[in-house]
């Protein structure tokens, strides 16, 4: 759930929609939960980035391994600088590492009991992750791989006060760091456009927010009270269908029309 709402509002909505059920163990990295994050300003993050961004420069003909090594060197340099100045940064990293360790252990345990089809028979994840704008900036810059691992292992992720570029950043993070992932984004406003373009399939909902989301999505859906269940079923079927990545906009529009209105 990627939203620009405040942390409290976003958590209440997520709880009402069972995205954050009452029994879930949520790791919250926000300024509300970690007030020390307020000391870390965006200007300081940018200053650290520009101080080490030369580490990301690689030759045009560099291999994937070389590019990855450059990213790792950059992340380590940024982490060393920030952790020496802000103790909360180390605390955030340790919290994510502890959660990632739990996921690795659970995944290893579940892999020992696979169904004949190779599907895990282990319990569904009981953990969730809650982030805000500052946490997305920090983790996406300093430890994107760890953030992707924890997000992928969680039952759900709620990103609060997320800017439009951060919504797209999180989609890009999962696409890059989680092999075999398929990202479907749903939005109804102009601040969702970047996210819809970054996803494998972008579903724009026509509503009171205007038409920008729909005009920049691959699959427009009309919001109606009577059609809410049909829309939900359509989206579920879109996720299950085989597809090339990325779809062309025309292909996606034809497909969503076929899935949402099979009798037409």
């Amino acid at each position: 759930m990627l939203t620009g709402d405040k942390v409290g509002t976003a958590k209440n909505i997520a709880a009402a929609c069972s995205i954050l059920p009452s029994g879930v163990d949520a790791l919250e990295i926000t300024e509300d939960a970690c007030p020390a994050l307020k000391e870390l300003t965006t200007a300081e993050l940018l200053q650290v980035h520009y101080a080490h961004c030369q580490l990301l420069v690689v030759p045009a003909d560099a291999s994937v391994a070389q590019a990855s090594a450059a990213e790792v060197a950059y992340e380590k340099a940024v982490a060393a600088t920030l952790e020496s100045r802000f103790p909360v940064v180390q605390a955030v990293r340790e919290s994510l590492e502890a959660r990632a360790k739990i996921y690795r252990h659970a995944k290893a345990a579940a892999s020992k009991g696979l169904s004949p089809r190779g599907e895990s028979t282990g319990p569904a994840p009981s953990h969730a992750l809650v982030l805000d704008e500052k946490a997305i900036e920090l983790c996406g810059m300093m430890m994107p791989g760890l953030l992707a691992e924890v997000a992928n292992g969680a039952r759900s992720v709620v990103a609060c006060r997320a800017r439009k570029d951060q919504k797209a950043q999180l989609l890009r993070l999962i696409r890059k760091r989680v092999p075999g992932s398929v990202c479907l984004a749903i939005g109804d406003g102009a601040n969702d456009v970047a996210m819809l373009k970054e996803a494998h399939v972008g579903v724009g909902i026509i509503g009171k927010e205007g038409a920008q989301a729909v005009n920049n999505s691959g699959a427009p859906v009309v919001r109606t009270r009577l059609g809410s269940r049909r829309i939900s079923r359509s989206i579920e079927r879109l996720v299950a269908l085989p597809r090339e990545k990325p779809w062309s906009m025309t292909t996606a529009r034809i497909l969503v029309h076929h899935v949402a209105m099979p009798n037409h």
Side-chain angles (χ1 to χ4, degrees):
M1 173 179 166
L2 312 179
T3 177
D5 291 335
K6 295 181 180 179
V7 175
T9 304
K11 289 168 64 177
N12 288 337
I13 294 173
C17 299
S18 295
I19 295 174
L20 286 179
S22 57
V24 73
D25 178 14
L27 171 61
E28 182 175 342
I29 306 176
T30 64
E31 291 185 349
D32 291 352
C34 308
L37 280 175
K38 296 178 181 178
E39 301 173 4
L40 186 61
T41 65
T42 300
E44 287 169 321
L45 287 174
L46 286 173
Q47 183 180 11
V48 173
H49 165 71
Y50 289 127
H52 301 293
C53 62
Q54 72 276 3
L55 294 173
L56 293 171
V57 178
V58 294
D61 58 348
S63 64
V64 175
Q66 289 175 314
S68 298
E71 291 179 359
V72 171
Y74 165 80
E75 292 164 14
K76 288 183 177 180
V78 169
T81 301
L82 290 176
E83 289 181 3
S84 65
R85 296 169 55 187
F86 303 96
V88 67
V89 174
Q90 182 176 355
V92 168
R93 178 175 56 79
E94 291 175 350
S95 296
L96 287 173
E97 287 177 344
R99 189 56 60 93
K101 186 177 180 180
I102 294 174
Y103 294 153
R104 292 176 199 139
H105 178 74
K107 185 177 180 180
S111 65
K112 297 179 181 179
L114 299 177
S115 68
R117 296 183 179 180
E119 299 171 348
S120 173
T121 57
S126 59
H127 300 84
L129 179 63
V130 181
L131 306 169
D132 66 358
E133 177 185 6
K134 187 67 63 64
I136 296 171
E137 282 186 342
L138 173 64
C139 297
M141 174 181 175
M142 180 179 123
M143 41 194 150
L146 185 59
L147 175 60
E149 182 180 4
V150 173
N152 186 51
R155 178 190 188 277
S156 55
V157 178
V158 178
C160 320
R161 300 188 65 86
R163 304 188 306 265
K164 57 184 179 182
D165 62 299
Q166 290 181 324
K167 293 180 180 181
Q169 176 187 355
L170 290 174
L171 264 290
R172 194 181 310 116
L173 178 72
I174 296 300
R175 289 188 60 165
K176 179 179 179 180
R177 302 276 180 168
V178 181
S181 61
V182 177
C183 297
L184 182 147
I186 306 171
D188 64 354
N191 60 344
D192 297 321
V193 170
M195 175 186 69
L196 293 172
K197 288 184 175 181
E198 192 63 41
H200 292 105
V201 181
V203 178
I205 300 178
I206 303 172
K208 296 181 180 179
E209 297 289 335
Q212 290 192 50
V214 171
N215 293 337
N216 289 277
S217 69
V221 176
V222 179
R223 174 190 289 159
T224 63
R225 292 182 180 179
L226 296 178
S228 59
R229 290 187 179 180
R230 171 172 285 184
I231 290 173
S232 297
R233 289 196 300 269
S234 301
I235 292 171
E236 290 174 359
R237 294 170 68 180
L238 274 172
V239 174
L241 287 171
R243 63 183 65 82
E244 295 179 358
K245 306 178 222 182
W247 278 348
S248 68
M249 180 155 318
T250 302
T251 302
R253 287 179 182 272
I254 293 173
L255 181 56
V256 78
H257 185 275
H258 173 72
V259 171
M261 292 168 282
N263 297 326
H264 291 255

